[in-house]
Amino acid sequence: MERPARLCGLWALLLYAGRGGVAAPAESQPPVTNLSVSVENLCTIIWTWNPPEGASPNCSLKYFSHFGNKQDKKIAPETHRSKEVPLNERICLQVGSQCSTNESEKPSILVEKCISPPEGDPESAVTELQCIWHNLRYMKCTWLPGRNTSPDTNYTLYYCLGKILQCENIYREGQHIACSFNLTKVKDSSFEQHSVQVMVKDNAGKIRPSFNIVPLTSHVKPDPPHIKNLSFQNGDLYVQWTNPQNFQSKCLSYEVEVNNSHAETHDIFYVEEAKCQNTEFERNLEGTICFMVPGVLPDTLNTVRIRVKTNKLCYEDDKLWSNWSQAMSIGQKANPTFYITTLLIIPVIVAAAVIVLLLYLKRLKIIIFPPIPDPGKIFKEMFGDQNDDTLHWKKYDIYEKQTKEETDSVVLIESLKRASQ
């Protein structure tokens, strides 16, 4: 009886183990085969491969893949993977097979396939290639020539919108070269394009092509708004304008600039949600945006400008401001007659002042810089007259003596003549 019991226990243990009661270690699957890479459009890279040979029939194959430096890891049952990336650098994909979607499971040996950038001197490729979507109507791309390029190089820009097209409108803007092409997103349309792939090369094939991918949720620059009305009410300035076409109000942010000519102030108001809080203005101009600027003096000249940009509620980029709108002014203007009269009178006054200064320059010099008294001159003035008088009297005495002597000699001679007779 003991032997049959032992046999039954051993049979039960084997049956339990066969049903999975004991976890068997997972076996590593063979690597994938025939891994290849190709390029579609301008910047869409596609990797394809075949399932591994000799895989376990009980394994539900999944494929583990990632790019260089283990970026963008992915586990999926598909035997292909694509990525939209500029082809300016070498790009590699590594693929392995496994039996589950668990990342902790060790995959098979990873197989790698790379795609290299186009041939050519990297210094010949254009630089600063960037594109801006203007008002959701046209896209403008600009770039600078490469360092090792000829000044007379003829460039060609290709862009992909479902199919590869060539940009015909190439022109220069200073040192930059630009090209514009129509790109319109109509409301409520099946516009499924999420990005635009761009490539710039030359016609002769002497420079290395340069690539860029422009997401349509960024790099959007609206047109400037249009100011419709300015008005004062209760010491506040109400500004009303219309948005550029193709944009909803919730997708835009605003800046309102107010310049006061009298106070020479320059105020800028950042507006995320424009509301006047006044039903009267909203009824008068339907479809307009309104903003109230508090504390503006109505008896001065106020000049208003507005610009807009996209916000992150609808777009990924919120850094591209539109140009400023055309300025509109309100308030009392200064009388130009006063300024003209002032401009005419000032030169006359200046000329008269110069003449007066020239006429009275000597007197002004004496008044401003009076002479310093000379002590010697003062002493001479005090004692000089007395010395002159003394000298005068001395000369007079000498003259009197000479006259008297001459008279005496004449009388003596006459007396002698009489005596001789």
Side-chain angles (χ1 to χ4, degrees):
M1 294 294 294
E2 293 180 0
R3 183 174 295 178
R6 292 179 180 178
L7 291 175
C8 288
L10 182 59
W11 175 256
L13 182 61
L14 293 174
L15 182 63
Y16 177 76
R19 292 182 178 179
V22 178
E27 296 181 358
S28 178
Q29 299 299 318
V32 299
T33 58
N34 297 329
L35 177 60
S36 61
V37 61
S38 60
V39 179
E40 289 187 359
N41 300 327
L42 293 175
C43 301
T44 303
I45 308 175
I46 300 176
W47 286 270
T48 58
W49 58 87
N50 293 333
E53 297 179 356
S56 173
N58 297 326
C59 176
S60 178
L61 283 174
K62 303 293 186 297
Y63 300 99
F64 172 82
S65 62
H66 66 77
F67 295 96
N69 298 327
K70 297 185 178 180
Q71 297 177 355
D72 298 334
K73 294 181 180 180
K74 182 179 179 181
I75 300 177
E78 294 82 13
T79 58
H80 61 84
R81 186 172 179 180
S82 63
K83 185 177 179 64
E84 193 178 45
V85 60
L87 298 177
N88 298 319
E89 298 179 355
R90 176 183 172 90
I91 303 170
C92 298
L93 180 73
Q94 294 182 346
V95 184
S97 62
Q98 58 187 51
C99 292
S100 69
T101 58
N102 189 1
E103 290 189 11
S104 62
E105 181 180 343
K106 183 178 181 181
S108 67
I109 298 174
L110 297 179
V111 181
E112 184 180 65
K113 192 68 175 181
C114 301
I115 183 169
S116 300
E119 296 181 355
D121 182 10
E123 296 293 329
S124 65
V126 301
T127 59
E128 299 184 17
L129 174 59
Q130 56 182 352
C131 301
I132 297 177
W133 196 8
H134 288 266
N135 208 53
L136 304 182
R137 292 188 297 110
Y138 70 95
M139 182 166 287
K140 177 182 176 181
C141 299
T142 59
W143 63 89
L144 286 174
R147 297 178 182 177
N148 296 341
T149 54
S150 175
D152 58 349
T153 300
N154 294 321
Y155 296 94
T156 304
L157 184 141
Y158 296 94
Y159 61 97
C160 182
L161 293 174
K163 60 180 180 179
I164 299 176
L165 303 172
Q166 180 178 346
C167 182
E168 303 292 343
N169 186 23
I170 295 182
Y171 52 94
R172 285 188 175 270
E173 288 185 343
Q175 296 182 352
H176 286 80
I177 303 173
C179 190
S180 303
F181 54 89
N182 294 329
L183 179 61
T184 304
K185 182 177 181 180
V186 183
K187 294 181 180 180
D188 302 328
S189 66
S190 57
F191 193 87
E192 298 180 354
Q193 192 80 18
H194 300 291
S195 62
V196 178
Q197 302 175 6
V198 177
M199 178 185 69
V200 177
K201 56 182 294 187
D202 67 327
N203 298 333
K206 295 181 179 180
I207 70 171
R208 179 173 172 175
S210 182
F211 300 85
N212 192 12
I213 297 176
V214 186
L216 295 183
T217 54
S218 63
H219 300 83
V220 178
K221 182 178 181 179
D223 283 348
H226 178 65
I227 301 177
K228 301 292 291 185
N229 184 47
L230 299 177
S231 58
F232 285 109
Q233 184 174 354
N234 300 327
D236 299 325
L237 174 62
Y238 288 85
V239 184
Q240 292 176 282
W241 68 87
T242 55
N243 283 329
Q245 296 181 353
N246 305 326
F247 290 95
Q248 300 179 1
S249 299
K250 65 178 183 178
C251 298
L252 297 175
S253 299
Y254 312 88
E255 271 191 355
V256 179
E257 179 190 75
V258 181
N259 291 316
N260 187 286
S261 61
H262 179 72
E264 296 183 357
T265 57
H266 177 81
D267 299 324
I268 295 181
F269 302 88
Y270 183 77
V271 184
E272 290 187 353
E273 185 178 1
K275 287 185 179 180
C276 271
Q277 299 178 353
N278 191 319
T279 56
E280 179 181 353
F281 291 97
E282 295 177 358
R283 287 196 304 268
N284 294 338
L285 290 174
E286 295 182 358
T288 61
I289 309 300
C290 185
F291 178 69
M292 181 191 71
V293 182
V296 179
L297 300 176
D299 56 346
T300 58
L301 182 64
N302 298 277
T303 304
V304 180
R305 297 191 306 171
I306 306 172
R307 65 177 182 173
V308 302
K309 69 174 182 177
T310 57
N311 58 30
K312 290 192 175 182
L313 182 62
C314 304
Y315 298 90
E316 296 179 0
D317 188 8
D318 62 346
K319 298 179 180 179
L320 288 177
W321 285 100
S322 72
N323 298 330
W324 286 103
S325 67
Q326 290 186 354
M328 181 177 287
S329 301
I330 188 174
Q332 296 181 355
K333 295 183 179 180
N335 189 2
T337 305
F338 173 77
Y339 295 101
I340 295 174
T341 305
T342 303
L343 292 175
L344 293 176
I345 291 176
I346 288 177
V348 175
I349 295 175
V350 172
V354 170
I355 294 173
V356 172
L357 287 174
L358 291 175
L359 293 175
Y360 294 95
L361 182 60
K362 187 173 182 179
R363 176 173 288 184
L364 289 174
K365 183 178 179 180
I366 294 173
I367 294 173
I368 298 174
F369 303 104
I372 300 174
D374 187 1
K377 188 175 182 181
I378 295 174
F379 181 79
K380 184 177 181 180
E381 290 177 353
M382 291 176 62
F383 301 98
D385 294 341
Q386 183 177 358
N387 295 335
D388 292 343
D389 293 341
T390 303
L391 181 62
H392 173 74
W393 287 110
K394 286 181 179 180
K395 291 180 178 180
Y396 180 78
D397 291 344
I398 294 170
Y399 176 78
E400 287 292 332
K401 287 180 179 181
Q402 290 178 352
T403 304
K404 187 177 179 181
E405 289 178 355
E406 290 178 357
T407 304
D408 291 344
S409 61
V410 170
V411 172
L412 180 61
I413 293 171
E414 288 181 356
S415 298
L416 292 173
K417 285 181 178 183
R418 289 176 183 175
S420 65
Q421 294 176 356

